[in-house]
Amino acid sequence: GLMLITNEHGVPYVYDLCCPVEINSNIRIKFDENNLCLRCPKCGSTYDITTGGPMTGTAKDGLDRKSVV
């Protein structure tokens, strides 16, 4: 699945929902409203919503970002 997020200026960002840390593809990242980031509910890694890059946790790789046209 995919997650579509827009920033305050309406710029869209689309990411694959799979956490790059988890082997199980059924583990899906979620939007963390309190911290304005994306978070894996299993490993706890957090990702920046504008870049998909890892912020905290065990993640070394960022989320797979898709193009929006």
Side-chain angles (χ1 to χ4, degrees):
L2 299 173
M3 178 176 289
L4 170 66
I5 298 175
T6 59
N7 68 10
E8 66 274 9
H9 304 290
V11 176
Y13 301 96
V14 177
Y15 298 103
D16 190 298
L17 287 174
C18 293
C19 177
V21 174
E22 300 302 324
I23 295 172
N24 183 344
S25 62
N26 292 323
I27 304 298
R28 306 292 188 178
I29 61 162
K30 309 254 186 237
F31 180 66
D32 181 337
E33 293 181 36
N34 296 325
N35 297 301
L36 299 177
C37 65
L38 302 171
R39 179 181 305 278
C40 175
K42 183 160 185 194
C43 75
S45 293
T46 60
Y47 302 90
D48 185 280
I49 61 170
T50 59
T51 66
M55 296 171 35
T56 64
T58 58
K60 302 290 184 229
D61 297 317
L63 298 172
D64 185 16
R65 185 171 174 184
K66 307 295 184 184
S67 296
V68 179
V69 274

